[in-house]
Amino acid sequence: DVISSEAIESGIKAIVGLPIKDDEKVIGALFLNHTSAHSLSSENKKLLFTLTNSAAIGINNSMIHDQRVKDIAASQEINRAISQNALPVIYELIAKKAKELTNAAYSTLWILDNTNKYLQVGAVYGRESVEDSLPLNAQSINGHVAMKRESYICSDVTQDNHYHSWYDDIHSNLTVPIAFGERLIGTLHVESTPKDAYDKDQEKLLQSL
């Protein structure tokens, strides 16, 4: 059941498969196909584990580099837009880049209103806005982040008391505060359909943006 019929028909008799892992996160797999019965010696096992560890480092470094290139390009595009466009256009661009850089289902940029009591939608990218404002309280993740001025990763919305639902298919999100010195400007928020979609690396990426 493990080996496909196509592999068997092509003459494969044995397969060795190893995960490529970055810490505990699987980022790929290495497979060796043999046309005769085959078993690995202890030395070959050590060699393959060394190879997959090296591959994990190389792949991870490449992913970090690619992400950093995209991050820099997004920041440069936003910086250019700031000098040439009105605020709604800039808000839309920031929300767009947040969604694209984190592979989110959608993103929302919230802006603190003049009363300092509510967050108002600056831009939503990827889906339609359900609400136009949120109070600064713990009844929503954005309100909570705005009050605490600390980033927040929600791995499972069904287990989070702060979560304020818009869409039934959303299962995780990431929110960072937007501030200039001591002045709170708003929050930047991304949501995804899988659980555990965000980690500290994406948190840093969104903070950078």
Side-chain angles (χ1 to χ4, degrees), residues 6-65:
E6 290 84 357
I8 295 174
E9 290 172 2
S10 65
I12 299 301
K13 302 295 185 183
I15 294 177
V16 177
L18 296 93
I20 300 174
K21 300 171 70 175
D22 178 28
D23 290 329
E24 292 303 312
K25 182 180 179 181
V26 176
I27 59 175
L30 174 67
F31 287 93
L32 304 177
N33 299 326
H34 299 273
T35 55
S36 60
H38 189 84
S39 61
L40 288 179
S41 66
S42 58
E43 286 301 316
N44 283 338
K45 288 180 181 179
K46 290 179 182 178
L47 180 61
L48 285 175
F49 279 120
T50 300
L51 181 61
T52 55
N53 287 338
S54 297
I57 294 171
I59 293 170
N60 187 55
N61 288 342
S62 178
M63 292 170 65
I64 291 172
H65 176 266

Side-chain angles (χ1 to χ4, degrees), residues 27-151:
I27 59 175
L30 174 67
F31 287 93
L32 304 177
N33 299 326
H34 299 273
T35 55
S36 60
H38 189 84
S39 61
L40 288 179
S41 66
S42 58
E43 286 301 316
N44 283 338
K45 288 180 181 179
K46 290 179 182 178
L47 180 61
L48 285 175
F49 279 120
T50 300
L51 181 61
T52 55
N53 287 338
S54 297
I57 294 171
I59 293 170
N60 187 55
N61 288 342
S62 178
M63 292 170 65
I64 291 172
H65 176 266
D66 289 347
Q67 189 66 68
R68 184 58 180 157
V69 169
K70 293 177 183 177
D71 181 22
I72 292 171
S75 297
Q76 290 174 338
E77 187 173 347
I78 290 168
N79 287 336
R80 287 193 298 270
I82 287 172
S83 63
Q84 301 171 3
N85 297 280
L87 277 175
V89 176
I90 298 168
Y91 291 164
E92 180 80 8
L93 179 59
I94 293 171
K96 177 183 177 182
K97 293 304 176 182
K99 177 187 181 300
E100 291 175 349
L101 289 174
T102 59
N103 297 314
Y106 77 99
S107 60
T108 310
L109 176 68
W110 294 90
I111 302 298
L112 187 66
D113 74 351
N114 293 331
T115 69
N116 294 331
K117 294 181 179 179
Y118 290 88
L119 292 169
Q120 294 182 325
V121 169
V124 179
Y125 192 83
R127 294 190 179 181
E128 295 296 322
S129 174
V130 175
E131 296 171 88
D132 294 329
S133 66
L134 291 172
L136 263 67
N137 59 35
Q139 299 306 307
S140 70
I141 289 177
N142 283 281
H144 176 73
V145 167
M147 288 193 303
K148 296 292 186 180
R149 301 195 185 190
E150 296 177 353
S151 299

Side-chain angles (χ1 to χ4, degrees), residues 170-182:
I170 294 298
H171 292 98
S172 61
N173 59 53
L174 166 63
T175 310
V176 300
I178 304 173
F180 183 73
E182 295 299 316

